[in-house]
Amino acid sequence: MVNRIIISRKFAEELSVLARPIQKGVNGIYAKLSKNAEGGGLNLESIQGATSHSIKSVRVNDNYRVVLHQDGKGTFTFLHIDTHDAACAWATRNRFEVNRYTGEVQLYVIDIPEVRVAAEVRNDAVESYGPFWKKPTDNELKRLGVPEGQIALVRSLKDDEDILAHEQNFSQGVFDALLMLFDGKTPDEVAQELEIGKKPVAVDDVAKAVEESDASQSQFAFASSEDELNAIRNAALAQWRVFLHPSQRKIVRKNVRGPIKVLGGAGTGKTVVAMHRAKFLLENVFAKKTDRILFTTFTKNLCDDIRTLLGSICTEDEMARIDVCNLDKWALEYVKSLGVDVTPLYREKQKLELMERAMLGIEGADNWRPGFFLRERANVVLPNEIDSLPAYLKVSRAGQGVRLSAGQKKVVWQVLEAYRLILTREKLMDFDEIAILAANQIRENGQRPYASVIVDEAQDFSAPALRLVAAISNNTKDAPVPNSLMIVGDAHQRIYGKRAVLGKCGINVMGRSSKLRLNYRTTEKIRKRAVAILKGVTVDDLDGAQDDNKGFRSLVVGKEPIEARYKTFDKEMDAIVETIVKWQKEDARTYSDYVVLARRQSDVESIAAALAERGLRSKQVKTDLTIRESEKGRVRISTMHRAKGLEFVGVVVAEVNPGIWPLHPDEYKDMDPVAQKFCDDSERSLLYVALSRAMKHAMLTGVGEISA
């Protein structure tokens, strides 16, 4: 009989920071246990005072012990590793069991000093617990998975910050249930949402419980080989590779009849879900060698990052069947493969110059600036694929901010036609035109280049880009294709000014939308400050309805972000260096775990020089994210845009002051109010994105008045 080995997430975290000889010793224990039902000759010692007779300790070396659980069915679960006395003490304060109500495998603390006091006065001081905790009874809490030994702890919690502060003391299922209760859901509603009571529970079979419970799989993983054990240990530093939250795992494993949409704020793990979805589809749905998946997003840099991360969870064979490419590049390569000779037009300055040429000689054209015509083309003509004056006269321009009479529309159309002819003569196309051409060709050819498409950062995609995605995945609004498309995005992070409605682009996600609400990266106090930046920003759900940040939370409360104003740039730089040095000493991390973000590339360069003058070297974040040993002593530095998709222990957003942020185009004052609001919203979203890169520390600085 071959034993099954399960590794707890907490054990993996503990093991990952220990010395290599200790890790090697644990590998030896694993090898013996996995091959012999009796423990392979290991001395499994009982622990005096342990919360269960099934809790044992195993010697790693003269000093360290592994605490594990043996269930009598050939399953060993690695729970904790520490020095001898500390490991034994841990076993007397922590309980491991399968919850008889929910089926969740739970590892939790039962002896918390401050809770003992609460337990003693509980019956006499219910009023001190606040009105919320009067509602659920002890039996209702137990039915939701709260163990008997944690009822007192739950009753002692005063608010949501208390729940977050005790997150490490609860199992995943209990933690989720408590947050739902605090948000106002009834015990019955929580039970229904968490699907409690829908499956029979085998309390004496740990392996079966892990296999059947998403909540358990967020905290426990099977290690079927020594290589897999090492992978889980290494993943403790990037836990998303192995341990998914139940809400994430549920989305990853969906078998759906059409496209699905996933929304979530910064740090909620949307990209993680998208990557695991790609792996799941390749393994379980599109498993033929000829089946391929396109994983696409808006920027090249983000694609480079995702390709690297996918490589850490996928096999070589799986990676060979995934194309990771930003959509503009994919579309350009596709139309060129058809023999189209075209050069992409992407520089705004060049577009303005060409539009000025198009305006020459057209009576009435000088009533508007070149930027107006470019916006009309980008926001009205191309999204609606208008190719004639009659069609332009009929199209709705709702939300454009400027009303045009039929006569004015005729003038505008003359300019736009002249512009199109210039582009045709010079073999130029902007990326929306390339997307339209590619989509039309795919539809005409009846091809389906990929079995499935996954789109990350969809909020930045234009309508033509989303229609291309629909064409690649063979979807139409009335004929969705099963498992063919995942759309992942968050309009709070729209930083490129695009806005489109999925349903109008042939992507029907009705009844197939999900929302991630737990922030795994940013502390609650940093998250709240970042959200405050978005006050007044119009946010949609990518499909025409409104979205908001209600119900979002971070797992850690944390400290308030530092906000400071300085009289001069030099004093601002002095404070930044002092703060980063303080963070680094406090955290005992390398300087490469911290970043300084700026709005413009020119600011990045001036700040880098200023930091160097003060003895703090920096390394600019570019395409290659590899941190070499020689660069660990250098703080990262980047534009706000480049930092998207990345995370750092500490983030400084510098020069958040008028004239630098918000940064507006030259023609901003001549824009109509709607266009101005688009610019303002994009700038606020960009600052929200920048601050949301922070895991623990954040600092907003400026010279004079901070403009956020």
Side-chain angles (χ1 to χ4, degrees), residues 691-703:
L691 200 60
S692 298
R693 303 306 96 197
M695 298 168 65
K696 183 178 181 182
H697 307 285
M699 182 180 190
L700 278 171
T701 70
V703 174

Side-chain angles (χ1 to χ4, degrees), residues 25 65 113 116-117 129 136 190 228 234 272 281 299 306 375 389 393 419 574 624 654 678 707:
R65 297 291 185 274
R116 291 183 215 151
V117 178
Y129 302 140
V190 173
E228 204 164 285
N234 293 333
V272 167
L281 290 176
T299 66
I306 288 169
R375 290 193 298 277
L389 176 58
L393 290 172
Y419 181 78
D574 290 341
D624 184 6
F678 267 117
S707 48

Side-chain angles (χ1 to χ4, degrees), residues 248 262-273 302 456-457 459-460 488-495 515-534 539 547-556 597 640 643-648 651 684-695:
Q248 295 175 321
V262 181
L263 299 179
T268 55
K270 299 183 301 299
T271 302
V272 167
V273 167
L302 197 52
D456 195 20
E457 305 293 353
Q459 73 276 354
D460 289 322
V488 178
D490 174 26
H492 298 89
Q493 300 184 68
R494 182 179 284 124
I495 61 177
K515 199 166 188 178
L516 299 169
R517 298 182 184 276
L518 273 181
N519 188 316
Y520 300 91
R521 176 173 62 228
T522 306
T523 67
E524 180 69 359
K525 291 192 175 179
I526 295 174
R527 186 195 69 81
K528 284 182 176 178
R529 179 61 183 96
V531 169
I533 293 167
L534 296 174
V539 179
D547 192 19
D548 56 47
N549 265 303
K550 291 180 180 177
F552 285 89
R553 279 194 180 85
S554 297
L555 291 180
V556 179
L597 301 179
M640 296 182 192
K644 189 172 178 62
L646 305 180
E647 59 184 34
F648 303 89
V651 170
R684 288 191 173 278
S685 293
L686 180 59
L687 187 55
Y688 165 79
V689 168
L691 200 60
S692 298
R693 303 306 96 197
M695 298 168 65

Side-chain angles (χ1 to χ4, degrees), residues 108-395:
Y108 59 92
V109 182
I110 60 170
D111 183 20
I112 303 172
E114 62 267 29
V115 177
R116 291 183 215 151
V117 178
E120 291 170 5
V121 300
R122 178 175 158 211
N123 292 329
D124 299 324
V126 174
E127 291 299 325
S128 68
Y129 302 140
F132 162 64
W133 293 120
K134 293 179 187 177
K135 295 178 182 178
T137 65
D138 284 5
N139 284 335
E140 285 174 328
L141 290 173
K142 289 177 188 176
R143 188 166 62 89
L144 296 179
V146 179
E148 175 74 38
Q150 288 196 312
I151 295 290
L153 171 58
V154 169
R155 294 293 185 197
S156 73
L157 303 175
K158 301 291 193 301
D159 51 32
D160 58 340
E161 287 199 1
D162 254 4
I163 298 174
L164 296 174
H166 282 283
E167 182 264 341
Q168 73 278 7
N169 294 323
F170 294 119
S171 69
Q172 185 68 67
V174 170
F175 179 70
D176 292 343
L178 293 178
L179 285 179
M180 290 179 192
L181 287 172
F182 187 83
D183 282 339
K185 286 186 168 62
T186 67
D188 286 343
E189 289 171 337
V190 173
Q192 183 175 359
E193 187 165 335
L194 296 180
E195 299 182 348
I196 293 171
K198 292 191 175 182
K199 297 177 183 177
V201 175
V203 295
D204 60 344
D205 194 334
V206 175
K208 184 177 181 182
V210 171
E211 287 173 342
E212 295 184 351
S213 166
D214 287 342
S216 300
Q217 290 172 27
S218 70
Q219 300 297 321
F220 299 91
F222 287 98
S224 58
S225 68
E226 195 170 324
D227 287 342
E228 204 164 285
L229 169 66
N230 292 332
I232 294 170
R233 184 195 74 224
N234 293 333
L237 301 176
Q239 295 172 351
W240 61 269
R241 296 177 188 172
V242 176
F243 303 103
L244 294 179
H245 186 272
S247 60
Q248 295 175 321
R249 194 177 297 278
K250 197 172 185 179
I251 295 169
V252 167
R253 294 178 172 179
K254 275 186 176 180
N255 185 12
V256 290
R257 296 182 178 180
I260 57 177
K261 178 184 74 175
V262 181
L263 299 179
T268 55
K270 299 183 301 299
T271 302
V272 167
V273 167
M275 289 190 287
H276 278 275
R277 175 69 173 174
K279 181 177 176 64
F280 173 81
L281 290 176
L282 288 170
E283 289 178 341
N284 300 280
V285 182
F286 304 115
K288 298 177 186 175
K289 289 185 177 180
T290 54
D291 290 337
R292 300 185 63 80
I293 286 179
L294 173 64
F295 196 119
T296 187
T297 187
F298 188 73
T299 66
K300 178 182 180 298
N301 283 333
L302 197 52
C303 276
D304 292 338
D305 301 345
I306 288 169
R307 188 181 298 106
T308 299
L309 294 172
L310 271 171
S312 70
I313 64 171
C314 294
T315 66
E316 288 186 13
D317 288 343
E318 288 166 350
M319 286 302 295
R321 295 196 290 127
I322 303 177
D323 288 341
V324 185
C325 184
N326 69 297
L327 195 65
D328 288 345
K329 181 182 178 184
W330 189 93
L332 179 62
E333 290 178 352
Y334 179 78
V335 298
K336 284 191 171 184
S337 73
L338 300 176
V340 179
D341 182 14
V342 64
T343 300
L345 177 63
Y346 55 88
R347 287 191 300 112
E348 198 65 24
K349 184 178 179 181
Q350 185 182 8
K351 291 181 182 180
L352 288 168
E353 291 171 350
L354 293 172
M355 187 60 76
E356 286 174 352
R357 286 169 52 189
M359 294 168 64
L360 293 174
I362 297 178
E363 186 177 350
D366 57 1
N367 289 328
W368 299 277
R369 291 173 62 89
F372 164 78
F373 294 105
L374 289 176
R375 290 193 298 277
E376 187 74 3
R377 189 169 190 268
N379 297 337
V380 179
V381 174
L382 293 180
N384 293 286
E385 298 188 26
I386 303 297
D387 59 3
S388 68
L389 176 58
Y392 181 58
L393 290 172
K394 292 178 183 177
V395 72

Side-chain angles (χ1 to χ4, degrees), residues 60-80:
V60 180
N61 59 20
D62 290 340
N63 197 24
Y64 275 83
R65 297 291 185 274
V66 167
V67 179
L68 53 79
H69 178 271
Q70 181 181 15
D71 74 349
K73 292 181 176 291
T75 300
F76 292 88
T77 306
F78 287 46
L79 304 176
H80 182 64

Side-chain angles (χ1 to χ4, degrees), residues 358-568:
M359 294 168 64
L360 293 174
I362 297 178
E363 186 177 350
D366 57 1
N367 289 328
W368 299 277
R369 291 173 62 89
F372 164 78
F373 294 105
L374 289 176
R375 290 193 298 277
E376 187 74 3
R377 189 169 190 268
N379 297 337
V380 179
V381 174
L382 293 180
N384 293 286
E385 298 188 26
I386 303 297
D387 59 3
S388 68
L389 176 58
Y392 181 58
L393 290 172
K394 292 178 183 177
V395 72
S396 170
R397 298 182 62 261
Q400 296 310 305
V402 174
R403 301 187 71 173
L404 298 177
S405 66
Q408 288 174 318
K409 274 192 168 186
K410 290 177 182 178
V411 174
V412 172
W413 185 253
Q414 287 183 64
V415 174
L416 295 181
E417 272 291 275
Y419 181 78
R420 185 186 63 79
L421 290 173
I422 292 173
L423 297 190
T424 301
R425 284 197 303 269
E426 300 188 14
K427 296 181 179 179
L428 295 170
M429 280 189 186
D430 64 29
F431 282 112
D432 277 352
E433 285 183 293
I434 294 171
I436 292 169
L437 175 59
N440 290 338
Q441 287 298 311
I442 291 170
R443 296 285 193 205
E444 288 178 17
N445 296 339
Q447 297 175 335
R448 188 180 177 187
Y450 296 94
S452 188
V453 181
I454 295 174
V455 179
D456 195 20
E457 305 293 353
Q459 73 276 354
D460 289 322
F461 279 44
S462 64
L466 289 174
R467 288 197 188 99
L468 173 57
V469 166
I472 295 172
S473 59
N474 200 32
N475 277 281
T476 63
K477 185 177 180 180
D478 298 322
V481 179
N483 299 308
S484 59
L485 180 59
M486 172 183 265
I487 298 289
V488 178
D490 174 26
H492 298 89
Q493 300 184 68
R494 182 179 284 124
I495 61 177
Y496 293 103
K498 304 283 172 50
R499 179 171 292 184
V501 177
L502 295 177
K504 293 181 179 179
C505 298
I507 300 171
N508 182 355
V509 295
M510 188 169 294
R512 294 183 296 275
S513 296
S514 301
K515 199 166 188 178
L516 299 169
R517 298 182 184 276
L518 273 181
N519 188 316
Y520 300 91
R521 176 173 62 228
T522 306
T523 67
E524 180 69 359
K525 291 192 175 179
I526 295 174
R527 186 195 69 81
K528 284 182 176 178
R529 179 61 183 96
V531 169
I533 293 167
L534 296 174
K535 185 177 181 180
V537 174
T538 304
V539 179
D540 61 274
D541 70 346
L542 311 185
D543 210 20
Q546 286 193 327
D547 192 19
D548 56 47
N549 265 303
K550 291 180 180 177
F552 285 89
R553 279 194 180 85
S554 297
L555 291 180
V556 179
V557 177
K559 301 176 182 178
E560 293 285 354
I562 299 168
E563 297 188 51
R565 301 169 175 83
Y566 302 95
K567 291 184 178 180
T568 66

